[in-house]
Amino acid sequence: MLGSTSCSPMIDTHAHLDSPDYDADREAVIERAHAAGVHTIIAIATDLESSDRVLALADSHPSVYAAVGVHPHEAKAWEGATSAARLRELAKPPKVVAIGEIGLDYFRDHSPRAAQERAFRDQVQIARELELPIIIHNREAWEDILHLVEETDAAQVGGVFHCFAGSPEDARRIIDLGFHISVNGILTYKNAGMAAVVQHVPADSILLETDCPYLTPHPYRGRRNEPAHVSIVAGRLAELRGVDPTQIERETDANATSLFGLAVRA
Ligand code: NI
C-alpha cells in the first residue's frame, strides 16, 4: 500500500518502536519503513507503561499494530491479579494483535526465575481468555519454556518464538507444538549457526522481525536498528533458503497476517 515498487510488502513483526532511541525521529523512522516496503510494524511492549506507549503509536499510525505484555526482565514488577487486570484492559483495543513479549530469560536473570514463571503463566492465561497469540522471549531457558508452553496449553492460541537462535532440533520442537519462529539481523552475522536452522524449517513457520533498536543487520551493525532493515533480513533468508527474495517476502507476509489476524483487523 505504501513504498517503492521494487519490493514486495513486508511486515516487521517485532519492533520496539516506543524505545527512547526513536524519540528524536520516530516519524522519519516509520516513513523510511514504508519507503522500504514495510507496510506493517508490530510495536512490542516490555512492561505495562510500554504497553500504553505502543497502544498510542498504534492509535496514531494506520501501519502500526501493538503487542502488550511484560518482558521477563520486568517480571519482578508483576503483581498478580492487579497487573493481570490492567493487562486485560490494555489488550482490548482492536489493534492489539498479541500478548508480548513474555517469556523466560536465564541469561540476564534481571528478575527472579519464580517471578518470570508467574508472570508468564498469568499472561498466557490472559492470551487464552482473549484469544490472542503470544510473542515469546526465551534466552537460555529451553527446557523450562517448552515445559511451561505445554503445561499452560499455550498452543491453543499459538504464537512465535521471537529472535530464534536455537538448534534445528529446537526449531523442530517449537514447530511441532504449533508455534512459529521469527528471525532477524542475527542471520547476517558470521558464525551465527542459523543457516542449518532456516534451511530446513517449513516455509509457513517463519516470520521476519528486526527486534529494533537492537540486533542491527550487517553491514549496519553497531548502529541503531530500525524496521526498514527487515528487508535485509528477508534478503539473507532468501539467500540461505536458495529462493527469490520476493518469495520470502510473500510467504512471511502471509504467515504474519494469518498468525496476528491482521487482515481481519485492518
Ligand atoms: Ni524484543
Side-chain angles (χ1 to χ4, degrees), residues 68-113:
V68 297
V70 175
H71 190 285
H73 287 348
E74 312 304 330
K76 54 187 176 292
W78 183 262
E79 292 177 324
T82 312
S83 300
R86 189 153 165 233
L87 183 58
R88 248 182 226 107
E89 285 309 307
L90 287 163
K92 280 183 179 160
K95 287 191 86 179
V96 173
V97 296
I99 297 294
E101 59 182 291
I102 65 176
L104 300 176
D105 192 311
Y106 292 176
F107 179 70
R108 300 258 180 227
D109 278 321
H110 284 333
S111 289
R113 293 180 181 183

Side-chain angles (χ1 to χ4, degrees), residues 21-35:
D21 289 34
Y22 300 120
D23 282 353
D25 64 344
R26 188 170 285 105
E27 297 307 315
V29 165
I30 293 170
E31 280 310 308
R32 273 201 296 278
H34 294 162

Side-chain angles (χ1 to χ4, degrees), residues 14-16 44-46 71 101 135 137 162-163 209 211-212 214:
H14 198 109
H16 293 284
I44 310 291
T46 52
H71 190 285
E101 59 182 291
I135 295 172
H137 170 105
H162 113 86
C163 192
E209 66 173 45
D211 202 13
C212 64
Y214 317 108

Side-chain angles (χ1 to χ4, degrees), residues 6-8 238 244-251:
S6 61
C7 302
S8 296
D244 194 81
T246 56
Q247 184 182 332
I248 291 293
E249 290 161 11
R250 200 173 53 245
E251 288 168 350

Side-chain angles (χ1 to χ4, degrees), residues 142-147 149-150 161 164 167-179 181:
W142 275 113
E143 290 310 316
D144 285 4
I145 197 74
L146 290 170
H147 178 76
V149 161
E150 285 180 317
F161 280 69
F164 182 84
S167 66
E169 172 60 18
D170 295 328
R172 168 52 49 204
R173 290 169 74 184
I174 286 169
I175 291 161
D176 285 349
L177 283 169
F179 282 77
I181 69 167

